[in-house]
């Protein structure tokens, strides 16, 4: 109950009829009329108001300039209800710039989770390299080597996996200028502090900062592969099975790092007798005979065709190791990588075989005698075959097979001709040389 003096100019009559006060219920979205009792005393009015759900003692009446105002205190139940309905905020995006944190503060689980975020892969990566560079240029790189190849690895329109950031602001996905084509399987991010935020693909093509970042990133990846090949051979074997054919494009594309990439290559060999590509060029050089000065190889459609080629017969007899190349990219590889560690690469199916000091004097003398003894046979075969072959001669390669075809040094290989024809391109026909085995019964 509230006491209002008459001197407050309170007009009691205006609260009856249509002017009866109504209170807005904001929660219910409706209006309701409070119950107000007004009693006329000697020198004041006794006003009592009732509101639903609010005790009388918590309702106060105020009169100001003839305007009646009801004020209700919040009950304990209202307070508890408001506290219960207080909004609870939940963080829906927990991602952060992981690459900007110190490597010591990041767990392997966080690295793996971030890889899955940027690569959309369900499996953990094989390994990663996290680097912060400061000086003339400032940037951070976090690069991953996947455990499995993406579905579009050999697609002409494949997408690169390195994202470009500038000061932690995402700029570009599929940043092809940050990584060469033979490392297109690399995933991760590069965050630069030196590039403008409005950088475009056209600017990237002619930007020296990007060129330096690209060169340094390639060296970091190659360094990681080198350490893996040395310290974790099993992991590197897994990597090679997955991405070996792609890495073989490296000496063709990246001349500056040709030697480093060459040391990372693996091949099948007559020494292991297995189809698995586990032999490095360094391993081959380490097993070379004292008088051997060349690295011998043969290319073919498959491992079986290479390992059973008649061109290997004399090498097997003398215990000379030959690399067996059966990947489609191998033809381009040996065309651009002509030597390793100062030793030339020589195909056993090309040119006139010269074993140098490996061949003893008796064998050389026997060859000269065979040339004289079968000179008439050689002439007869030449006339018979005509333009089908460029020459006919006695062979130094064969020990068991009666004959074989050999290409001249500058001719395109048979395997390359088949690849060019399959791609719908013109492949000049090469006239091979027919070599005959003078020791064969035929």
């Amino acid at each position: 109950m509230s006491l209002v003096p008459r001197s407050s100019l309170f007009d009691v009559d205006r609260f009856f009829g249509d002017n009866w006060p109504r209170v807005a219920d904001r929660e219910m979205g409706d209006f309701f009329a409070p119950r107000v009792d007004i009693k006329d005393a000697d020198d004041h009015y006794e006003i009592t108001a009732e509101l639903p759900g609010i005790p009388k003692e918590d309702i106060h009446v105020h009169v100001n300039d003839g305007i009646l105002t009801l004020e209700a205190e919040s009950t304990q139940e209202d307070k508890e209800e408001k506290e219960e309905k207080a909004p609870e905020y939940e963080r829906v995006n927990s991602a952060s710039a992981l690459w900007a944190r110190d490597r010591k503060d990041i767990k392997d689980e966080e690295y793996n989770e971030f890889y899955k975020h940027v690569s959309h892969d369900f499996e953990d990566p094989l390994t990663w390299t996290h680097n912060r560079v400061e000086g003339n240029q400032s940037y951070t790189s976090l690069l991953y080597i996947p455990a499995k190849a993406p579905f579009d690895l050999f697609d002409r329109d494949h997408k690169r996996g390195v994202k470009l950031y500038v000061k932690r602001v995402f700029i570009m996905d599929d940043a092809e200028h940050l990584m060469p084509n033979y490392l297109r399987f690399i995933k991760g991010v590069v965050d630069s502090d030196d590039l403008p935020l409005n950088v475009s693909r056209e600017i990237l093509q002619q930007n020296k900062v990007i060129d330096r970042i690209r060169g340094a990133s390639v060296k970091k990846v190659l360094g990681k592969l080198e350490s893996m090949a040395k310290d974790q051979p099993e992991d590197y074997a897994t990597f090679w099975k997955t991405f070996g054919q792609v890495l073989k494009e490296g000496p063709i594309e990246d001349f500056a790092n040709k030697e480093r990439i060459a040391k990372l290559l693996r091949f099948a060999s007559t020494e292991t007798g297995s189809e698995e590509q586990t032999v490095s060029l360094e391993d081959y050089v380490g097993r070379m005979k004292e008088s051997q000065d060349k690295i011998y190889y043969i290319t073919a459609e498959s491992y079986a065709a290479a390992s059973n080629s008649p061109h290997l017969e004399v090498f097997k007899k003398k215990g000379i190791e030959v690399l067996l190349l059966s990947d489609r990219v191998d033809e381009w590889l040996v065309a651009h990588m002509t030597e390793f560690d100062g030793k030339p690469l020589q195909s056993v199916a090309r040119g006139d075989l010269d074993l140098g000091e490996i061949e003893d004097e008796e064998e050389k003398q026997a060859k000269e005698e065979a040339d004289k003894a079968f000179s008439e046979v050689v002439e007869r075969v030449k006339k018979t075959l005509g333009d089908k072959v460029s020459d006919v001669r006695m062979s130094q390669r064969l020990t068991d097979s009666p004959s074989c075809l050999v290409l001249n040094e500058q001719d395109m290989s048979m395997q390359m001709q088949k690849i060019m024809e399959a791609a719908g391109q013109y492949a000049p026909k090469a006239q091979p040389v027919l070599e005959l085995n003078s020791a064969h019964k035929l």
Side-chain angles (χ1 to χ4, degrees), residues 142-211:
L142 176 54
L143 305 174
Y144 292 90
I145 299 177
K148 288 191 175 180
F151 69 93
D152 60 347
L153 182 64
F154 294 100
D155 190 346
R156 179 178 298 178
D157 299 325
H158 66 272
K159 291 185 177 181
R160 310 291 177 87
V162 179
K163 303 177 185 294
L164 176 62
Y165 286 76
V166 174
K167 299 177 182 178
R168 302 185 188 181
V169 177
F170 175 74
I171 299 298
M172 190 180 303
D173 199 358
D174 182 25
E176 59 184 13
H177 303 288
L178 293 175
M179 201 62 61
N181 192 51
Y182 71 93
L183 293 178
R184 57 184 175 271
F185 53 85
I186 296 295
K187 308 292 183 181
V189 299
V190 171
D191 188 355
S192 174
D193 294 337
D194 303 319
L195 291 172
L197 290 174
N198 62 343
V199 65
S200 63
R201 292 186 182 272
E202 291 74 15
I203 295 176
L204 290 179
Q205 291 177 354
Q206 302 175 353
N207 194 289
K208 293 182 179 180
V209 174
I210 287 295
D211 293 338

Side-chain angles (χ1 to χ4, degrees), residues 277 298-303 306 324-328 330 415:
Q277 299 182 6
I298 184 172
T299 58
E301 293 181 353
S302 63
Y303 170 80
L324 308 176
L325 312 183
S326 56
D327 292 335
R328 294 173 66 89
D330 287 335
Q415 178 68 5

Side-chain angles (χ1 to χ4, degrees), residues 152-408:
D152 60 347
L153 182 64
F154 294 100
D155 190 346
R156 179 178 298 178
D157 299 325
H158 66 272
K159 291 185 177 181
R160 310 291 177 87
V162 179
K163 303 177 185 294
L164 176 62
Y165 286 76
V166 174
K167 299 177 182 178
R168 302 185 188 181
V169 177
F170 175 74
I171 299 298
M172 190 180 303
D173 199 358
D174 182 25
E176 59 184 13
H177 303 288
L178 293 175
M179 201 62 61
N181 192 51
Y182 71 93
L183 293 178
R184 57 184 175 271
F185 53 85
I186 296 295
K187 308 292 183 181
V189 299
V190 171
D191 188 355
S192 174
D193 294 337
D194 303 319
L195 291 172
L197 290 174
N198 62 343
V199 65
S200 63
R201 292 186 182 272
E202 291 74 15
I203 295 176
L204 290 179
Q205 291 177 354
Q206 302 175 353
N207 194 289
K208 293 182 179 180
V209 174
I210 287 295
D211 293 338
R212 290 193 291 267
I213 293 176
R214 173 188 171 118
S217 299
V218 169
K219 292 180 179 179
K220 289 294 183 182
V221 172
L222 295 180
K224 190 65 178 180
L225 292 176
E226 289 169 351
S227 61
M228 187 195 303
K230 180 180 179 181
D231 303 328
Q232 300 170 303
E234 293 182 359
D235 289 345
Y236 190 77
T238 301
F239 163 79
W240 184 259
K241 288 181 181 179
T242 308
F243 301 109
Q245 294 190 46
V246 181
L247 192 62
K248 285 182 178 180
E249 300 173 10
I252 305 171
E253 180 180 349
D254 191 354
F255 181 81
N257 295 301
K258 180 186 292 187
E259 290 297 325
R260 295 188 67 179
I261 301 171
K263 294 180 180 180
L264 295 171
L265 303 181
R266 298 294 183 268
F267 306 95
S269 168
T270 55
E271 183 72 17
T272 60
S274 172
E275 189 175 357
E276 298 293 329
Q277 299 182 6
T278 58
V279 178
S280 68
L281 292 176
E282 289 181 319
D283 295 336
Y284 182 98
V285 172
R287 292 194 292 258
M288 287 175 60
K289 294 184 175 296
E290 294 181 1
S291 55
Q292 182 180 347
D293 58 354
K294 297 179 181 178
I295 299 174
Y296 294 102
Y297 70 89
I298 184 172
T299 58
E301 293 181 353
S302 63
Y303 170 80
S307 59
N308 295 307
S309 173
H311 300 88
L312 301 178
E313 292 178 0
V314 70
F315 295 92
K316 292 180 180 179
K317 179 181 178 180
K318 292 183 175 294
I320 301 174
E321 185 176 3
V322 179
L323 300 177
L324 308 176
L325 312 183
S326 56
D327 292 335
R328 294 173 66 89
V329 70
D330 287 335
E331 290 286 349
W332 283 278
L333 173 63
V334 295
H336 290 80
M337 190 177 66
T338 57
E339 66 174 24
F340 175 79
D341 195 19
K343 296 175 175 57
L345 273 67
Q346 176 64 49
S347 172
V348 300
R350 284 178 179 273
D352 192 6
L353 181 62
D354 182 12
L355 296 178
E357 297 181 2
I358 300 177
E359 188 177 18
D360 55 33
E361 292 297 329
E362 294 181 0
E363 291 174 333
K364 293 180 180 179
Q365 186 176 358
K367 181 180 180 301
E368 293 176 359
E369 293 177 356
D371 290 340
K372 294 178 181 180
F374 292 94
S375 59
E376 295 182 1
V377 176
V378 170
E379 292 298 328
R380 188 184 306 171
V381 174
K382 285 183 179 180
K383 293 180 181 179
T384 303
L385 296 178
D387 296 337
K388 294 181 180 179
V389 295
S390 61
D391 193 11
V392 179
R393 63 189 177 211
M394 305 311 295
S395 177
Q396 292 180 276
R397 294 176 172 85
L398 303 177
T399 59
D400 300 322
S401 302
S403 64
C404 67
L405 292 176
V406 179
L407 292 173
N408 293 309

